[in-house]
Structure formats: C-alpha cells, structure tokens
Amino acid sequence: MGNRGSKQGDYQVLVKTADRNGAGTDANIYIALINTNGKRSKDYKLDIRFHDDFEQGNQDMYPISLKDFGVIDKIELWRDRRIGIGNNNWCVEWIIVRDNVRDEVYEFPINRWITAGLKRRWSRYDSKLPQNDSEHAQRKKELEEKRQVYEFEQKIDGIPVQAVVLPKDEAFTPDYMKFIITTKLKMKMHTELIMMSTKKFKTLEDMEDVYRYSFHRPEGVDGWDNDLKFGNLVMNGCNPNVIQLCTEIPNNFGVTAQMVESFLEGKTLDECLQNKRIFIVNHKVLEGVQNVTVPIGLFYANVNNDLIPIAIQLYQEKGPENPVFLPSDPKYTWVLAKMWFNLGDASYHEACTHLAFTHFILESISVAVNRHLSPSHPLYRLVAPHLHFVMAINHRGLGKLLDKGGAFDVLFSMGLKGTFALIANAFKTWSFTNNGILPANLKHRRLDDPGVLTKYYYREDGLKVWDAIRNYVDTIVKEYYTTDDDIGYDFELQGFRATLVRSIENGGCGFQDVPGVEDGVTTTDQIVDIFTMIIFTASGGHASTNFGQYDQYGFPPNYPALLRGKPPNSKEKEYTEQDVMAALPTKDTMLSSMTLSKLLSTKNTDSLGEYETQFLYDQTSVNALRTFKRTLNEIGKEINVKNRVRTYPYVRFHPDNIPNDISI
C-alpha cells in the first residue's frame, strides 16, 4: 500500500496499479473529476512527495480538496510521456474516489493500459451498453485498436480458429509461469529417480512400483479390471459426455440378444431397451484416424443402477475378424477388449472433449469477445475472469505439446497427425447448443431424465453448477437488457454473435447452432445461454474433463493413451497377462505420460466465483456474485454429503475443484 498522504481532503483518490509484468510507471499521472451535472474539476497531478508512486501491484491514495462539487459521475485520466526516464507503460486495475462529505464511494474499474498523452474518460462502474455510452468515439477507437491485436487464424485445417499471436495482455504472469516450470522440473527429476530405482516391467504388479515422490497412487490402479469401475469410468471419468441412451442396436454392431441376455438379470434385450436400461458409446468419429480402434461399447444399468459393459466391438464394420467381445470371454481376452476400447475413448477425450471443445473453442470465443465487446461492455466484464489464461496456455503450453515430437506425437497412439485429423472430423458436427449447453447436450444424448442412469454423477452435479452459473448470468443480463431495443441496438453484442456463426473462410469462428436467429440475438434467454455456456465451459466443463487425468491416465491398463501391437481380433486365442504387458507402453513412456497427466491435473488458480480481479461493481452484479458464491458453497456441501455414500465418490464438480478459467 502506498502512502495515504497527510491531508484527508474532501475526496480521496485511490489508485490500484495492476499486478502484472511491467504495469508500473514513472510517468506523471493526472486526473480530473466530473460530477453528475457534467461539471469538470481542475486537473490534479497524482503525486506523493518522496514516494515511488504507481508501482506494480501497489495501491496509492491521494487527497483532493474540492468544495461543494457534488456526486462524481466520471473521471478523466491521462499520463505524460517521460522520454528516457524510467518506465512509460502503466496498467491500472481500478480507481476509487471516496467522497468524505457524503460518505460515498465511486468505483471506476479501468483494467487497461493508459496511453501516453491521451485523455480518456470513464463512467462510474465503466459498464454500459454501447448505445448508452456517451464516450462513443473513445469506445470505438479502443475497439479498433484491439482488433489490430486480436486477429483470427486457423493454424491447422479443420480445427477451430485461434489468435494469430499471443497478445501481451493474455500472457501468463511471471509467478504463474514460474509455477508451471518449477512443477514440471520437479516431476521430471522425480521420474528420473523412479526410472533408475525401479526394475523393468514384467508383470502388471511391477507397474505399481512407480508411485512415489511427486506421484501419488492414482485412483485407476485399484480395481482397474473390474467391470463396475469400467462402467463408472464411462459415466464419470474424463470423457463423461459421449455415452447415450440406446434405443436400438446399430446395424453395423454385431451384437445379438443371445450374446448378452445372460448379463441382463433375467430380462430380454428388448425389455431393457424399452425400459431405458441399455446405453451405448459409439466412436464412429475415429474412422480414418491412425493407430487407434474405432469402438462401439454396449452397457447395461443393473438392478443396483451400476453401469456394466456387456459387449464391445473394436471397429465399426462387423465381421469374423472384428468379433463382439463379452464379459464371459476368457479373463485376458475381455481385459484386452476393454483396454483397446479405452484407447479409442482416451484418444477422443484428449483430442476433442478436452483440447478442441474446451481449449480451442474458448480461444475462438476469447478472440471474438476482444474484437467485438468493449472492455466497458457489461458482458465483457462478466466473462473476462473466465477467459484469463486460455490463450496463454494454448500458445505457450499446448504449443509445445502439439509440436512434432511433442507429447501428442509420442505419448498417444494416434500421434500428432491423428490428433488433428480427429479434431477436424469432430469439429465438422460440433454444435454450440447440443455439445456446449449442458441441458441441451443431455437431451441430445437422451439422458436428460434424472430417473435414467441414476449414478451418472456428471449429470447430477454438473447441472447444479450449470444452474448456479445460469442464475448468476441471468441476473446480470436482465439488469442491463430491460427492453427488446436494448438487445437490438447493442451492435457490439450483435457483432460478437455474428462472428461466432460466420464461416472461418469469411473471418468467423464457424460455430453451428449458436442461440439466436438469422438476424442475431433477440431475447435475454439467448444471451444468457450464450454466456452461461462460455463460463461453464471455461470452469466446470474444463474441470470435469481435465483434473481427473492423472487418476485415470496415470495407470495405463486403466485408461491407455498409447498401446502397442494389434488389438485382439479372435476369440479363439487364449490371451495371457504377457499379452497385456506386450500391449502396454514401456516404463519410460509411462513415466512421461504420468508427468504430463499430473501436470495437467494440477490446479493453481482461484476457484469458481473467487475473482482475483473484480470487473463488475454495480450493486446488482455485486449482489448476484454474493448469491452465486453462496449457492456454490451449498453445492459443495451437498456433494460432500453425497460422496459419503457413493460407491465411487465424484469430485469434479465440487466448486472447490473448479477454477474460473482454463489455465492448465
């Protein structure tokens, strides 16, 4: 905290310099106050004698004597250009004016870099729809400048668009970058120690000897070959949003009623289909992707509502060399079938569910937000905390993973080429609504009935978090959009939505089924759905598919990203544990995979609703956030209680485990 000065004054100006690299300045800073009648004060130089003002992360206070000036409505702020003297850049988080006469506080969240020599004005709260902002020329110029920095590029054919370069405002803070580097180095050192101190894998039990130092024993180790745990992984693991209610058996699936009815507790397959007890995972989207299976799995919800696998076909076309594997097959035949099924599932998870449909989709949205929504727009301020680091992790972190010879190339059977091919296949049919909006996604997969698949905790807990976010967004949206004209005349919002749906070839994101109509956004519900989807994807959606990776991938027999050799293609051969070992990755590959999945599963940013930087200051938004946090706290308590009786506790949607943004 900077010095407060010796004289209190009629007003006090508090200035918070942002806590980001290079934010502080040695320039002279000036301010003028403007009251509700439009009267402007004289210019005040903000300076405390013998004090180093405006240092990174500091707060400084300046008394101002100004008699009978009234309520403050705006401020005007600027700085000079001090050539050759210290640092010229200055980034302001907020300015607060205290009115000591009226005992009022006027908040001005700036959240911007201040350009030398340019006077700019900000209204209280700095949160207005563009048609209501009197500083329209300033606002327009700022957006034009941002569009020069935030530009789209499709870096690989078929994948979502990204930023051409990483804007400096999107870069990791030095502290966060240090955390990532030191954590990775520590893990790498530990894997080298493990490599030297453990023997070559000869049995499955040998693989359990590597869990020491930074690497705890993953959940996937115990009971990994158990069918109940396999079914729970499909429902509540890293890839929980591909399972569907099965109403009929696909023609290309060679399973018959005779094959599976012994697993249906005395019921026929038709009865189970009619009673919504049969479920399917069909990874047809993997067709054409190298070195992976293209599996179909059939599952049954038993009398205890546990999900169990009852049939697996490893490729799409049925035939004698593509048999249907069953739980009644010999032990290691069935184990291998499940492992090779999970190879396909893990490939889809990492390339699509995780990378493409959280990281890349959010980067596309973030670029569009910065190109079309002014930092003074309430919707910008609503989503800003949730788009904080997504570009940084995509450009700096994933950039290394997606290089030739990087993790995706050597730790996944599909390799780099297969990763991009799979994303391109899946993105063709990705829907903003049917894939991105959780209630619509559940309905699309015919799993919106809570009485169906009752141990589907991803749905149970996820919907609570979705509803909490939606209620928060709804309150804020309806505060700012009170009439249809408010929506129709908001050209920034309309431009943002138009960019989401415009084809990539024409400079847009190429998203399908974005809420709205051909002419744009017309209702508050459409706005709420769009921005709830953005916040949910950045927080709970990413958390549910990311932070369980070490517990699942950390023991390759449980959820392998890479398998060697060929999958089983005959039910006549007697497979052994050695066949399983021959398919699994080597020790050094396993340790590299453990390091990656452990790093990706590490949370080091604030939890949902706990904002490091406050963007919305109006009373409705402040109250909405307070309610949001209270609701999340109650959700956490409910999940704690439920997990005491769940066979497999589910923590992915516990609010404590959900960051605000995608930062890892």
Side-chain angles (χ1 to χ4, degrees):
M1 174 76 73
N3 293 334
R4 292 178 175 270
S6 59
K7 185 178 179 182
Q8 186 179 41
D10 304 301
Y11 299 90
Q12 290 171 306
V13 175
L14 284 76
V15 180
K16 171 68 184 296
T17 298
D19 190 10
R20 63 174 67 178
N21 201 27
T25 188
D26 295 317
N28 292 315
I29 306 299
Y30 301 89
I31 194 170
L33 309 183
I34 301 166
N35 67 19
T36 50
N37 295 322
K39 183 179 179 181
R40 184 185 183 281
S41 74
K42 70 175 185 178
D43 299 345
Y44 292 92
K45 180 181 178 182
L46 299 181
D47 180 58
I48 299 172
R49 195 175 182 187
F50 306 123
H51 173 67
D52 199 356
D53 303 296
F54 313 118
E55 291 295 291
Q56 177 180 328
N58 279 5
Q59 296 180 31
D60 300 294
M61 183 181 291
Y62 305 90
I64 289 179
S65 294
L66 189 61
K67 299 294 184 183
D68 302 321
F69 194 69
V71 174
I72 306 303
D73 182 52
K74 293 183 179 183
I75 60 171
E76 186 169 285
L77 188 70
W78 68 101
R79 69 177 179 84
D80 67 4
R81 186 185 303 277
R82 308 200 73 191
I83 299 174
I85 303 178
N87 183 21
N88 268 319
N89 297 320
W90 186 40
C91 188
V92 188
E93 185 171 323
W94 48 253
I95 290 178
I96 292 175
V97 179
R98 287 181 178 169
D99 185 337
N100 295 321
V101 176
R102 292 163 188 79
D103 195 24
E104 288 281 348
V105 173
Y106 312 110
E107 302 94 338
F108 300 89
I110 309 299
N111 310 112
R112 291 169 174 87
W113 293 89
I114 303 302
T115 304
L118 181 65
K119 291 186 177 182
R120 300 179 66 182
R121 291 188 174 191
W122 283 281
S123 300
R124 186 181 184 187
Y125 307 138
D126 187 41
S127 186
K128 289 179 180 290
L129 301 182
Q131 64 269 34
N132 300 332
D133 193 343
S134 59
E135 306 299 331
H136 52 84
Q138 170 182 297
R139 185 167 177 146
K140 180 181 178 182
K141 185 177 187 298
E142 182 178 37
L143 265 180
E144 289 172 348
E145 291 171 350
K146 291 194 75 175
R147 287 182 186 133
Q148 301 300 313
V149 178
Y150 292 83
E151 295 183 297
F152 286 122
E153 179 182 29
Q154 189 177 40
K155 298 180 184 293
I156 304 292
D157 287 346
I159 73 169
V161 291
Q162 296 176 262
V164 175
V165 296
L166 180 66
K168 71 174 183 178
D169 282 352
E170 306 297 336
F172 285 132
T173 61
D175 285 346
Y176 193 73
M177 199 69 210
K178 180 181 177 182
F179 160 75
I180 292 177
I181 292 170
T182 55
T183 302
K184 186 176 180 180
L185 287 174
K186 180 181 177 182
M187 290 180 188
K188 186 176 180 181
M189 179 183 70
H190 288 168
T191 58
E192 290 173 355
L193 290 172
I194 294 168
M195 190 71 187
M196 292 186 294
S197 61
T198 55
K199 61 187 178 182
K200 182 180 179 181
F201 295 156
K202 293 182 179 180
T203 67
L204 289 164
E205 188 176 353
D206 290 342
M207 300 182 74
E208 300 180 29
D209 194 35
V210 300
Y211 302 115
R212 56 186 76 174
Y213 308 122
S214 296
F215 302 98
H216 69 267
R217 184 181 176 90
E219 291 178 5
V221 177
D222 298 316
W224 67 273
D225 57 348
N226 181 286
D227 283 357
L228 289 182
K229 195 163 187 180
F230 184 85
N232 183 68
L233 183 64
V234 170
M235 287 189 295
N236 301 311
C238 293
N239 200 34
N241 52 12
V242 294
I243 186 172
Q244 301 183 44
L245 178 69
C246 183
T247 56
E248 61 179 355
I249 305 299
N251 291 332
N252 63 321
F253 195 2
V255 69
T256 65
Q258 185 179 6
M259 289 180 183
V260 300
E261 284 185 350
S262 62
F263 314 122
L264 303 182
E265 301 174 312
K267 296 180 281 293
T268 69
L269 179 59
D270 282 342
E271 286 174 334
C272 291
L273 288 167
Q274 291 288 329
N275 293 328
K276 300 181 179 180
R277 309 293 290 187
I278 301 296
F279 304 87
I280 193 168
V281 172
N282 189 344
H283 282 304
K284 182 177 174 61
V285 70
L286 286 161
E287 283 189 313
V289 177
Q290 62 184 19
N291 302 328
V292 297
T293 52
V294 192
I296 309 173
L298 201 66
F299 299 82
Y300 166 64
N302 66 17
V303 67
N304 295 319
N305 293 311
D306 293 311
L307 189 70
I308 58 171
I310 58 174
I312 290 174
Q313 183 176 294
L314 294 177
Y315 293 94
Q316 290 290 303
E317 294 305 318
K318 60 185 178 183
E321 294 189 356
N322 186 29
V324 175
F325 295 98
L326 305 170
S328 55
D329 289 337
K331 175 181 177 180
Y332 290 111
T333 302
W334 183 233
V335 164
L336 282 165
K338 290 189 290 182
M339 280 173 46
W340 283 91
F341 172 91
N342 273 345
L343 174 69
D345 195 73
S347 300
Y348 181 85
H349 160 256
E350 203 62 81
C352 300
T353 305
H354 178 215
L355 177 59
F357 299 153
T358 62
H359 282 264
F360 286 167
I361 290 295
L362 258 293
E363 181 169 354
S364 299
I365 289 171
S366 184
V367 175
V369 164
N370 280 282
R371 286 180 63 80
H372 291 282
L373 298 183
S374 162
S376 300
H377 199 295
L379 294 177
Y380 177 96
R381 293 191 166 277
L382 174 65
V383 297
H386 305 283
L387 301 175
H388 190 200
F389 278 152
V390 66
M391 291 190 205
I393 192 63
N394 288 359
H395 284 241
R396 298 288 176 86
L398 289 177
K400 294 182 179 179
L401 300 182
L402 292 168
D403 281 344
K404 187 172 179 59
F408 274 84
D409 211 18
V410 300
L411 299 181
F412 291 84
S413 286
M414 61 185 166
L416 196 59
K417 181 180 178 181
T419 299
F420 291 137
L422 178 50
I423 293 173
N425 286 351
F427 186 51
K428 290 174 186 174
T429 58
W430 183 83
S431 162
F432 191 102
T433 295
N434 290 336
N435 294 101
I437 295 179
L438 181 59
N441 174 255
L442 292 167
K443 186 175 182 179
H444 183 67
R445 293 185 286 122
R446 299 185 292 273
L447 291 176
D448 50 320
D449 182 350
V452 174
L453 204 61
T454 57
K455 292 186 177 180
Y456 190 23
Y457 307 136
Y458 168 83
R459 175 186 61 200
E460 182 179 341
D461 296 354
L463 282 174
K464 290 185 180 297
V465 173
W466 173 274
D467 288 343
I469 294 171
R470 196 180 195 283
N471 289 337
Y472 169 61
V473 173
D474 184 80
T475 301
I476 293 171
V477 166
K478 289 178 178 174
E479 169 69 11
Y480 286 94
Y481 295 94
T482 59
T483 69
D484 290 344
D485 283 347
D486 288 337
I487 301 171
Y489 290 137
D490 185 349
F491 52 87
E492 290 181 2
L493 170 65
Q494 300 299 343
F496 167 66
R497 195 262 179 190
T499 294
L500 296 185
V501 302
R502 189 179 302 121
S503 70
I504 291 173
E505 293 75 17
N506 290 314
C509 298
F511 293 170
Q512 303 177 58
D513 305 322
V514 179
V517 297
E518 187 175 352
D519 292 336
V521 183
T522 58
T523 69
T524 53
D525 278 347
Q526 292 165 359
I527 302 172
V528 171
D529 281 341
I530 291 171
F531 285 87
T532 302
M533 181 274 189
I534 295 171
I535 295 175
F536 180 83
T537 301
S539 56
H542 178 257
S544 66
T545 192
N546 180 72
F547 291 106
Q549 289 188 84
Y550 176 74
D551 276 325
Q552 304 308 331
Y553 286 97
F555 188 59
N558 178 67
Y559 202 58
L562 181 148
L563 290 175
R564 299 180 292 167
K566 301 292 184 183
N569 62 0
S570 170
K571 299 182 56 149
E572 304 301 320
K573 180 179 177 180
E574 188 71 29
Y575 293 97
T576 67
E577 181 177 350
Q578 289 310 305
D579 292 303
V580 175
M581 292 302 300
L584 290 168
T586 60
K587 183 169 69 171
D588 59 337
T589 300
M590 176 180 173
L591 290 171
S592 295
S593 182
M594 285 167 53
T595 300
L596 174 63
S597 59
K598 179 75 171 179
L599 183 63
L600 293 177
S601 301
T602 303
K603 175 181 177 288
N604 194 49
T605 53
D606 291 332
S607 296
L608 183 59
E610 301 296 333
Y611 299 137
E612 184 177 326
T613 299
Q614 185 175 346
F615 282 86
L616 286 163
Y617 281 80
D618 66 274
Q619 198 58 53
T620 297
S621 298
V622 169
N623 290 341
L625 178 59
R626 189 177 295 120
T627 300
F628 181 41
K629 291 164 73 170
R630 189 164 53 244
T631 302
L632 291 172
N633 185 54
E634 291 302 315
I635 291 171
K637 291 178 181 178
E638 289 177 26
I639 290 174
N640 290 340
V641 171
K642 289 176 180 178
N643 278 337
R644 293 173 192 159
V645 296
R646 288 172 172 173
T647 306
Y648 300 107
Y650 186 68
V651 299
R652 298 301 158 221
F653 279 116
H654 193 296
D656 289 349
N657 299 329
I658 302 174
N660 286 306
D661 56 4
I662 298 176
S663 57
I664 195 71

